[in-house]
Amino acid sequence: MRRVAVCPGSFDPITLGHLDIIKRASQLFDKVIVLISVNAAKVPSFTTTERMAMIEAVTHGFDNVVIDILDGLLADYVKNVGAIAIVKGLRAVSDFEYEFQMALANKKLYAGAETIFLTTSAENMYLSSSVVKQIASFGGDISHFVPECVHEVIKNRLVKE
Ligand code: PNS
């Protein structure tokens, strides 16, 4: 049986923290679907096409990782593709309540998959897409936070004139 996991997120943009979780998930499952999803609480800075291109560039070498876009409910998608897990990274206690709520809601909507939390690597504890966007918008150095091949795309898009 092929064990499929879904890594959902806004990925606006993808960071080294996301990449670390995707890489580790790809070692645990036969196939990982990185799923660009809509977070109703956020207005994205990058289009889904831009986010997809960035994820494609940084996951290029991972044989069992594919990318998809969702404009609907995560639980429905997970059920439709026969995934057994939703994999998310957990950074700090501050993430917990929100992630716990989503995990419980998703389990209620579709009991066939478990949400699995991977503890973020220590160096990515403080890292988030919003932090990256703030630094980039003021012309700061984002090289410690996002994969090199997407630096330019992010800078060109966000640096204030
Ligand atoms: O990277 P984010 O913004 O923290 O990811 C949150 C995301 C996009 C995974 C979440 O908002 C989501 O699952 N959206 C899809 C729509 C959905 O199923 N919402 C209900 C979740 S309980």
Side-chain angles (χ1 to χ4, degrees):
M1 189 181 75
R2 270 167 64 76
R3 300 168 81 82
V4 177
V6 174
C7 274
S10 311
F11 303 108
D12 186 49
I14 187 164
T15 67
L16 287 173
H18 293 128
L19 188 58
D20 175 55
I21 298 296
I22 294 166
K23 195 180 203 170
R24 287 158 61 197
S26 76
Q27 287 156 1
L28 295 171
F29 293 91
D30 297 315
K31 178 180 171 185
V32 170
I33 305 171
V34 179
L35 190 65
I36 303 169
S37 317
V38 177
N39 182 338
K42 295 180 184 169
V43 179
S45 303
F46 294 90
T47 65
T48 42
T49 314
E50 286 171 325
R51 285 180 270 163
M52 181 136 187
M54 285 190 268
I55 301 172
E56 260 166 12
V58 305
T59 59
H60 191 60
F62 304 169
D63 292 341
N64 62 341
V65 173
V66 298
I67 308 155
D68 203 0
I69 294 168
L70 174 71
D71 188 13
L73 271 185
L74 176 61
D76 291 341
Y77 181 92
V78 168
K79 183 179 178 184
N80 288 341
V81 297
I84 58 164
I86 296 166
V87 177
K88 301 219 68 185
L90 210 52
R91 285 167 301 195
V93 182
S94 50
D95 281 347
F96 185 76
E97 201 172 329
Y98 168 68
E99 293 293 348
F100 193 67
Q101 190 183 20
M102 281 203 292
L104 288 178
N106 284 325
K107 185 76 177 170
K108 198 79 182 165
L109 291 169
Y110 176 54
E114 297 291 342
T115 296
I116 295 177
F117 294 109
L118 297 182
T119 314
T120 193
S121 301
E123 63 269 29
N124 297 325
M125 276 286 288
Y126 57 92
L127 190 49
S128 70
S129 297
S130 351
V131 163
V132 168
K133 285 192 277 191
Q134 274 203 45
I135 296 171
S137 69
F138 292 110
D141 178 11
I142 55 169
S143 61
H144 297 295
F145 313 123
V146 295
E148 199 181 342
C149 57
V150 296
H151 286 183
E152 287 308 307
V153 183
I154 295 172
K155 280 198 284 187
N156 290 343
R157 192 71 157 56
L158 297 179
V159 171
K160 290 180 178 150
E161 296 296 310

